Amino acid sequence: MILKRTSFAVAVAVLILGTAAALSYAQGLDLIGPDAAKRTMQVMIGLILAAYSNLMPKDVGRWRASALAVARAQSVLRVGGWSMTLAGLAYAGLWAFAPLAFADVAAMAVVASAMLITMGYGGWTCLACRSKQTTAS
């Protein structure tokens, strides 16, 4: 299981480094401009964010908590997976089609808002779980 995750992460890292090297080489040969190289790398980063986020609620391992805690944790993982996957797709779309100055700011805002949604929902769920524990005691 760990070997599978590690090999996937190494493969993605090799893909990113290979793409960066290929883009740098193509840019050195004047086949593409610096804007196209930057856009290509940023689109790739957005798609990789979407792919990793799509895996977030899956394959979480063995749960050792109560059924309620497991359900709430899975709920948080689903919300986080959805928000970060959509943010990764929006990030890639912005870098592919929007003007560079706008894409630079808007893409960061999209990912930051997805992080805030994920962390906010996780915090809210944790507080709701804790408040029910204190009232049940």
Side-chain angles (χ1 to χ4, degrees), residues 73-134:
Q74 191 65 38
S75 172
V76 170
L77 288 172
R78 274 194 303 272
V79 167
W82 267 101
S83 66
M84 295 302 287
T85 298
L86 293 175
L89 293 174
Y91 185 96
L94 283 166
W95 275 105
F97 302 113
L100 284 176
F102 179 74
D104 197 19
V105 175
M108 284 190 295
V110 165
V111 173
S113 63
M115 280 180 35
L116 287 173
I117 289 169
T118 302
M119 291 175 13
Y121 186 77
W124 176 77
T125 303
C126 182
L127 288 176
C129 188
R130 293 214 183 266
S131 67
K132 288 194 181 195
Q133 284 179 352
T134 57

Side-chain angles (χ1 to χ4, degrees), residues 48-99:
I48 289 171
L49 173 64
Y52 266 112
S53 300
N54 189 37
L55 297 175
M56 198 164 113
K58 302 170 179 123
D59 191 32
V60 292
R62 210 173 113 191
W63 295 95
R64 295 191 178 118
S66 69
L68 179 63
V70 169
R72 289 191 177 179
Q74 191 65 38
S75 172
V76 170
L77 288 172
R78 274 194 303 272
V79 167
W82 267 101
S83 66
M84 295 302 287
T85 298
L86 293 175
L89 293 174
Y91 185 96
L94 283 166
W95 275 105
F97 302 113

